[in-house]
Amino acid sequence: MKQEINRHEILEKITPLIENTAMRYNLIPIEIEFVKENHRWYVRIYIYSYDKDVTLDDCENMTHSLNDFLDTLIPVKYYLEISSPGLERKFKSDKEFLIFKGRRVSIKLKEPMEGETEIIFKGEIIDWDDNEGLTFFRFDDGCELKIPKEKIKSAKLYID
């Protein structure tokens, strides 16, 4: 008999555990996925640290700390994958603008802003506000821009 799995319910159960475990290692889970691919279930956790680069040891510590607890909360066989978000990660939520404050990013707009011709800017996140949007330092001319949230099509970390 095929077992029905409610992905959202399982994510709700495992997220606090993952967040608390990450906090013990001074890490932040940026994204937590529970997905089925090719008839296999995966728990994918992308972790970040404000203080240092994420290492293999960080991923192993998280794995060892979570394994037994996740097994009690997830009623199917799954594969656990823990990694850093990657050097040029595409943002998947607004909270990432706060998490990556001070980091270099590439911003793509839906259309040029008033007085501008470009829709892609490279610079640094100065601040993020859920109502006001992004305060951004643009590298090419050294200007500070305020970009409303609704004008942003995509954002990703940027490496020179």
Side-chain angles (χ1 to χ4, degrees):
M1 188 168 104
K2 191 174 179 181
Q3 185 179 12
E4 258 324 290
I5 299 297
N6 184 330
R7 287 182 340 98
H8 299 290
E9 197 175 281
I10 290 174
L11 274 171
E12 282 180 24
K13 286 181 188 176
I14 67 174
T15 296
L17 171 67
I18 293 167
E19 288 172 343
N20 289 335
T21 302
M23 206 180 322
R24 285 195 343 235
Y25 296 106
N26 203 24
L27 300 166
I28 301 161
I30 292 176
E31 183 180 0
I32 301 168
E33 295 179 325
F34 181 59
V35 295
K36 190 172 191 178
E37 294 175 0
N38 299 321
H39 309 290
R40 293 181 177 161
W41 286 99
Y42 292 87
V43 174
R44 291 196 181 106
I45 305 167
Y46 300 92
I47 55 177
Y48 179 72
S49 171
Y50 288 117
D51 305 327
K52 62 184 182 72
D53 291 336
V54 172
T55 65
L56 184 58
D57 286 342
D58 294 322
C59 298
E60 286 177 358
N61 288 337
M62 287 281 297
T63 300
H64 294 307
S65 296
L66 287 171
N67 260 341
D68 292 339
F69 294 108
L70 290 177
D71 287 348
T72 63
L73 297 173
I74 301 173
V76 293
K77 182 180 177 191
Y78 65 91
Y79 296 89
L80 177 62
E81 296 177 356
I82 300 177
S83 67
S84 73
L87 294 175
E88 293 198 359
R89 175 187 171 79
K90 188 172 182 175
F91 289 14
K92 295 183 180 169
S93 69
D94 290 347
K95 77 175 184 177
E96 291 183 60
F97 286 101
L98 285 173
I99 291 170
F100 293 117
K101 185 175 173 179
R103 297 281 305 268
R104 294 171 177 249
V105 292
S106 176
I107 303 292
K108 185 173 186 177
L109 305 178
K110 294 176 183 172
E111 58 191 35
M113 291 183 16
E114 190 174 316
E116 300 283 342
T117 56
E118 299 293 319
I119 62 168
I120 297 176
F121 299 112
K122 291 184 177 171
E124 186 175 296
I125 298 172
I126 296 172
D127 202 8
W128 173 260
D129 180 276
D130 283 331
N131 299 319
E132 303 291 319
L134 178 66
T135 305
F136 183 75
F137 177 78
R138 188 167 55 185
F139 290 148
D140 64 352
D141 62 4
C143 285
E144 188 175 298
L145 294 176
K146 291 258 188 212
I147 304 174
K149 178 180 178 175
E150 62 274 2
K151 292 194 181 267
I152 299 172
K153 182 174 185 175
S154 65
K156 70 176 187 169
L157 292 175
Y158 163 70
I159 304 297
D160 280 333

